[in-house]
Amino acid sequence: MTKKNFKWSNLYLLLVFVVLYAPIMYLIFYSFNEGGTMTSFTGFTWDNYAAVFEDTRLMGIVLDTFLVALLASLLATVIGTFGAIGIYYVKNRKMRNTFLSMNNILLVSPDVIIGASFLILFTFIGFRLGFTSVLLSHVAFSIPIVVLMVLPKLQEMNPTMLKAAQDLGATNLQVLTKIVLPAITPGILAGYFMAFTYSLDDFAVTFFVTGNGFSTLAVEIYSRARQGVSLEINALSTLMFLFALILVIGYYFIQQYNMSKKHKQNGKKNAKAVTLL
């Protein structure tokens, strides 16, 4: 009975992956089409990829998109990390739960609502829409993601280590830099990568807060797709998919390195304990 359930679960998982990845594979396949359409494959060509790199306006938008994503994820990681530490050290349980609920509300709120809210705010205060408005908006919706990634690592810390460090005369800054930050580094890295990917492919919020003369890749692809099918968009989307795949693989190896390093440290501690016995 258990074997049948296991086989059905594998079949269901395979079906889910097919549904998710089939459109992407279809898009990638026709990015090499010489015919210029997505109805029939007439021949293999690299012209669509060459057209992407020859489009100077598109390359500028790609650079702007990556600049916004890098800055937004960096700022959100710094603010979100210290925000998570602040929430962790709130002694009042009700107040801590209130902060967590406010953070989670921003996570589940629709992007359309967040984008419209920022548009109303920037319009009300007379803030010019453009690079800065997009950057501030991306920082704002990325902070809750970082908080959610860092908090579990804070909860995994051994509180006796912090008390022991304070008893030995360590200052609050030393406790933060020597114990807290190294212990939550995997959570910080996870929050940074998550914030980067969310900022990189965000469309709804960016669509509301971008102004004339500035655009991101998601908004540009949307505006070009409305004009008709262009295999240049397929080629660009393929490149972005490969870049995201490289990020995921890189993050996986970073996790594996941290885990192996942790196991080695634990092994050395156990060996020392055995020699002392």
Side-chain angles (χ1 to χ4, degrees):
M1 189 71 182
T2 55
K3 289 184 179 180
K4 289 184 179 180
N5 291 335
F6 181 74
K7 290 180 180 179
W8 278 108
S9 63
N10 286 345
L11 181 61
Y12 174 75
L13 186 62
L14 179 63
L15 179 63
V16 170
F17 277 109
V18 168
V19 171
L20 289 175
Y21 283 94
I24 299 176
M25 295 300 108
Y26 180 80
L27 180 145
I28 293 174
F29 176 73
Y30 275 99
S31 68
F32 300 100
N33 187 18
E34 188 179 15
T37 65
M38 295 181 65
T39 56
S40 61
F41 192 86
T42 58
F44 182 87
T45 182
W46 290 100
D47 292 343
N48 299 317
Y49 290 88
V52 171
F53 292 101
E54 290 173 359
D55 192 338
T56 55
R57 181 178 182 277
L58 186 60
M59 286 294 99
I61 292 173
V62 171
L63 293 176
D64 288 339
T65 302
F66 276 97
L67 181 61
V68 169
L70 288 170
L71 291 177
S73 54
L74 181 62
L75 293 173
T77 301
V78 174
I79 299 171
T81 299
F82 285 101
I85 295 173
I87 293 174
Y88 177 75
Y89 281 106
V90 172
K91 295 181 179 180
N92 191 318
R93 187 174 181 180
K94 290 184 177 179
M95 187 174 293
R96 186 192 308 163
N97 291 334
T98 301
F99 285 136
L100 285 174
S101 299
M102 292 173 64
N103 183 78
N104 294 334
I105 287 172
L106 292 175
L107 282 173
V108 300
S109 296
D111 290 343
V112 175
I113 302 300
I114 296 175
S117 301
F118 278 117
L119 176 61
I120 294 171
L121 174 64
F122 292 142
T123 304
F124 179 75
I125 63 177
F127 196 85
R128 185 179 178 182
L129 299 180
F131 174 83
T132 307
S133 62
V134 173
L135 177 63
L136 293 176
S137 301
H138 283 216
V139 171
F141 71 69
S142 298
I143 290 174
I145 301 169
V146 178
V147 172
L148 197 66
M149 293 293 164
V150 174
L151 268 177
K153 296 300 178 182
L154 287 167
Q155 294 167 353
E156 291 176 4
M157 282 195 316
N158 189 357
T160 57
M161 293 177 58
L162 304 179
K163 293 180 181 179
Q166 291 173 345
D167 292 339
L168 292 172
T171 62
N172 291 333
L173 182 61
Q174 289 175 330
V175 171
L176 177 65
T177 56
K178 301 294 184 181
I179 298 176
V180 177
L181 289 180
I184 64 174
T185 296
I188 295 175
L189 291 175
Y192 176 82
F193 279 109
M194 288 293 291
F196 181 80
T197 53
Y198 267 73
S199 175
L200 194 64
D201 66 355
D202 178 75
F203 168 75
V205 177
T206 308
F207 183 77
F208 279 95
V209 297
T210 190
N212 294 329
F214 181 81
S215 181
T216 61
L217 200 53
V219 177
E220 181 67 15
I221 291 175
Y222 171 76
S223 61
R224 292 196 179 196
R226 292 182 63 187
Q227 298 173 4
V229 176
S230 173
L231 297 188
E232 185 180 347
I233 297 176
N234 289 42
L236 180 60
S237 301
T238 302
L239 294 174
M240 295 301 298
F241 174 76
L242 292 176
F243 178 77
L245 187 63
I246 292 171
L247 280 181
V248 172
I249 295 173
Y251 176 65
Y252 170 78
F253 281 110
I254 290 173
Q255 274 191 323
Q256 293 298 316
Y257 173 77
N258 290 330
M259 289 178 64
S260 62
K261 188 177 180 182
K262 192 174 182 180
H263 286 311
K264 287 181 181 179
Q265 290 176 349
N266 291 335
K268 289 180 181 180
K269 288 180 183 179
N270 294 332
K272 288 181 180 180
V274 170
T275 53
L276 289 173
L277 292 174

